[in-house]
Amino acid sequence: MVPASPACATVRVPVIGVARVLSSVVATADRSIGAMSNGSEVSDQGSSTTGQDGATGRRGVNRRAVLALVIALVFVAAVLGGAKILVDRNVYTAVAMGPVDSPAADSQTCADVVGALPDRTSDYRSVDVADPAPAGTAAYRDSGGTELTVRCGVNLPAQYSVLSETTGHGGVEWLQVTDATPGSDLTTWYSVGVSPVVAVTGSHGADDAAALTGFGTALAGHTDGADAPAPAPVPLTDLRQDAASGAAADRCTGLLDGLPDGFGDYRRIAADDPRAADLPDRAAAWTAPGLEPVVVRCGVRLSDSYQAGARLTQINDVPWFEDTALAQGSTAGVWYALGYAPTVAVSLPTDAGNQVLTQVSEQIAGSFRKTGE
């Protein structure tokens, strides 16, 4: 038989004691009520004393009934309190956190940030980080046991660019990044515009966005905006561009104009969006919350990584070469359309799906000139 845990023993003793007291009181009350029901007698003068004694008996019974009720309520409260202690100890357990690249995690600023984090935020309660606890970390759980981890001093991922959509909580702007790993349900929120950077990671669907308010309030008083990391430029900005003839420029314009306003969850950045000013020449972009942008740029030079015999992916009538060199923290690859002029490049996150390249291929095959013709 598995021995009882210390927590169970601690709760069992007072509950059993209260149960015994309650049982004794109820038994005494039962005997008193029985005696009262048979206790009528006549005095020497022939007058009955039943009325007076009955009233006294009823008062005694009432007192005992009230006492029994109070003890019963105490008993119920003890049981519920003990059950809550056991549940809390099973739910609000320590969270294991492995080491990650956090250059500023052991700084005094991160120590101050972690020390200022709230005991509760939204539906989450602070819990211990299992030993060995990495520097600059904290952990939370909600009543269902869902984890929420906090890391201070991390690097901002490559997803943070001038196209990123951020949201404000607790006086701090946050960047949402969804984990694209197959089978993962994690989302990480990065503080932007402040230094050091703090990352809050939780499960999809959890109320972690609401919890950011408490974290943002703590960060606002201990972080510095002057040394905050700057956002990266739009993907494909660094590509070399060919000098386009009038005909090539027109084909690029036709290509971009013919692409849709959306790809699944992605929505195109409109011309009147302030972020459109950051787009490189002959480019269009689509964004979605928590995901890296899709960027299409026309009239660029082919990647130096391309060599004859390289593996190609055929989509409709267009062969594509994927340059798999990824930036740190990025899941986007750069695809180049071959066999047509001008050359088109697409920055494509792994979770964006095939419809982007399919529709771009249709536009290229329908209006671009094949090379060698």
Side-chain angles (χ1 to χ4, degrees):
M1 183 176 68
V2 179
S5 67
C8 293
T10 301
V11 175
R12 186 182 297 115
V13 171
V15 171
I16 293 176
V18 172
R20 288 174 177 171
V21 172
L22 177 61
S23 178
S24 175
V25 171
V26 171
T28 301
D30 286 342
R31 288 195 297 271
S32 299
I33 293 171
M36 292 298 175
S37 63
N38 297 319
S40 176
E41 61 181 53
V42 180
S43 67
D44 292 340
Q45 287 77 21
S47 60
S48 174
T49 61
T50 302
Q52 180 179 355
D53 291 346
T56 302
R58 284 192 296 274
R59 287 194 295 271
V61 170
N62 289 339
R63 285 195 296 271
R64 292 185 179 92
V66 171
L67 178 60
L69 178 60
V70 170
I71 294 176
L73 293 176
V74 172
F75 173 75
V76 172
V79 171
L80 294 178
K84 185 178 186 304
I85 291 173
L86 290 178
V87 170
D88 285 355
R89 289 183 178 179
N90 289 328
V91 171
Y92 296 104
T93 56
V95 174
M97 298 177 65
V100 299
D101 186 16
S102 304
D106 56 357
S107 66
Q108 183 58 48
T109 303
C110 276
D112 294 340
V113 167
V114 172
L117 293 176
D119 293 332
R120 290 176 179 267
T121 179
S122 185
D123 295 330
Y124 290 89
R125 179 191 300 182
S126 177
V127 298
D128 293 333
V129 178
D131 291 329
T137 60
Y140 291 77
R141 288 188 188 273
D142 65 9
S143 58
T146 302
E147 298 177 6
L148 198 65
T149 61
V150 181
R151 295 181 185 270
C152 180
V154 301
N155 292 313
L156 266 178
Q159 284 95 325
Y160 181 47
S161 73
V162 293
L163 298 182
S164 297
E165 299 179 10
T166 62
T167 180
H169 294 281
V172 173
E173 290 295 313
W174 299 87
L175 169 71
Q176 180 186 4
V177 176
T178 301
D179 188 355
T181 304
S184 174
D185 67 344
L186 298 179
T187 292
T188 299
W189 297 82
Y190 293 88
S191 62
V192 298
V194 295
S195 178
V197 177
V198 172
V200 179
T201 302
S203 300
H204 297 340
D207 194 20
D208 46 4
L212 295 177
T213 299
F215 299 140
T217 302
L219 295 182
H222 295 86
T223 52
D224 183 10
D227 296 327
V234 176
L236 308 185
T237 298
D238 59 343
L239 296 186
R240 295 170 297 171
Q241 191 167 29
D242 278 334
S245 64
D250 289 342
R251 283 194 287 270
C252 284
T253 300
L255 166 74
L256 298 177
D257 289 346
L259 294 176
D261 291 333
F263 297 110
D265 293 333
Y266 286 85
R267 292 295 174 264
R268 186 168 184 161
I269 294 179
D272 58 353
D273 189 311
R275 295 174 296 172
D278 295 312
L279 294 175
D281 292 339
R282 287 174 276 176
W286 293 255
T287 61
L291 304 175
E292 295 183 74
V294 171
V295 180
V296 177
R297 190 176 182 191
C298 182
V300 300
R301 295 184 183 180
L302 190 59
S303 170
D304 292 336
S305 300
Y306 174 73
Q307 301 291 332
R311 180 180 177 180
L312 303 179
T313 300
Q314 186 80 21
I315 300 179
N316 295 333
D317 293 329
V318 180
W320 291 86
F321 166 70
E322 182 185 11
D323 189 344
T324 56
L326 301 178
Q328 180 182 6
S330 174
T331 66
V334 179
W335 295 74
Y336 294 85
L338 304 181
Y340 291 84
T343 300
V344 174
V346 179
S347 177
L348 187 68
T350 57
D351 51 5
N354 295 326
Q355 58 178 319
V356 176
L357 293 183
T358 299
Q359 296 200 39
V360 174
S361 297
E362 292 175 355
Q363 292 291 324
I364 291 174
S367 59
F368 278 30
R369 175 181 59 84
K370 283 190 175 183
T371 55
E373 293 184 358

